[in-house]
Amino acid sequence: QQMAQPKLEDAVDFLERALMAAHQQILHYATANAMPDSPRTTLVMALIQSGQVCWAHCGDSRFYLIRQQQLLTRTQDHSVVERGRAHGPASPADNNRNLLFACLGSPSLPVFSLTEPLALQQGDTLMLCSDGLWASLPEPDIVAELSQKPVEIAVPKLVDKALAQAGERSDNVTCLALNWLTPDTSVNPKPSDT
């Protein structure tokens, strides 16, 4: 809030600083509480400014951007499985999707990914979620739900489906989404009475 006066000069730099500040705070917490090892976490965050979005992530919490009922982009997890997909077939030893090579709170500097700002279009849907959601549901189902329903209906349904699918082995299911609608444009304009 202090830096956005009236807007951030460099949104990508802001996200990088925020991510590193979170990492440092975790390490500070571990030291202040004499913990033998620091807590670890994944992170995904997005910043919308001037009709554009940029995002950053570390680990396997994800950002999705859906446009015209199609998945335009999503983050690539910092996991052994995802890295294996980029470099060919994974060996059986690499099939543990929980094996991450990046997170916040580790003793080494975190590996993270940042994007340059991308112009939003009317009706775009953005979603940030934990692996408890995406690991329990097929990606086409996530895209379909977010494409066919308003987020206030789609998100609770996705969370409920993920919890039901995972059952007692469910991980934390966290999800936040929005539809990008500019105030001067209506999705379903009403006909004029004149």
Side-chain angles (χ1 to χ4, degrees):
Q1 289 175 336
Q2 293 171 349
M3 295 176 72
Q5 302 289 334
K7 69 178 195 172
L8 297 166
E9 288 185 29
D10 187 334
V12 175
D13 178 66
F14 174 81
L15 288 176
E16 181 174 358
R17 287 173 184 257
L19 187 143
M20 290 305 297
H23 174 69
Q24 292 300 323
Q25 285 290 51
I26 292 169
L27 296 178
H28 175 73
Y29 179 86
T31 301
N33 291 282
M35 299 175 79
D37 199 7
S38 62
R40 309 274 202 291
T41 189
T42 63
L43 174 75
V44 62
M45 56 185 165
L47 189 146
I48 298 173
Q49 177 174 270
S50 303
Q52 298 180 318
V53 62
C54 55
W55 57 92
H57 83 288
C58 178
D60 62 358
S61 291
R62 289 183 179 175
F63 171 86
Y64 290 79
L65 176 56
I66 297 159
R67 178 173 289 163
Q68 297 176 355
Q69 301 185 350
Q70 300 291 319
L71 179 63
L72 183 65
T73 189
R74 81 156 169 84
T75 52
Q76 300 301 305
D77 305 333
H78 298 120
S79 68
V80 172
V81 169
E82 195 95 336
R83 183 167 52 184
R85 284 188 192 132
H87 296 92
S91 71
D94 292 339
N95 286 334
N96 182 354
R97 73 156 194 87
N98 293 319
L99 189 56
L100 302 178
F101 62 84
C103 64
L104 299 186
S106 64
S108 59
L109 286 175
V111 173
F112 56 90
S113 301
L114 294 159
T115 63
E116 292 297 319
L118 175 73
L120 289 167
Q121 292 184 10
Q122 185 75 3
D124 282 354
T125 301
L126 290 67
M127 182 180 78
L128 295 86
C129 69
S130 66
D131 63 327
L133 186 122
W134 66 257
S136 298
L137 302 174
E139 195 162 90
D141 292 1
I142 294 171
V143 173
E145 196 74 35
L146 290 169
S147 296
Q148 297 166 7
K149 298 181 179 91
V151 291
E152 62 269 20
I153 295 170
V155 168
K157 281 191 166 230
L158 287 169
V159 169
D160 289 346
K161 284 181 182 179
L163 289 169
Q165 182 68 25
E168 290 186 10
R169 61 179 178 77
S170 180
D171 198 349
N172 169 24
V173 179
T174 305
C175 181
L176 173 71
L178 68 87
N179 291 116
W180 180 252
L181 302 173
T182 55
D184 59 336
T185 309
S186 174
V187 175
N188 297 313
K190 294 179 181 177
S192 173
D193 290 335
T194 58

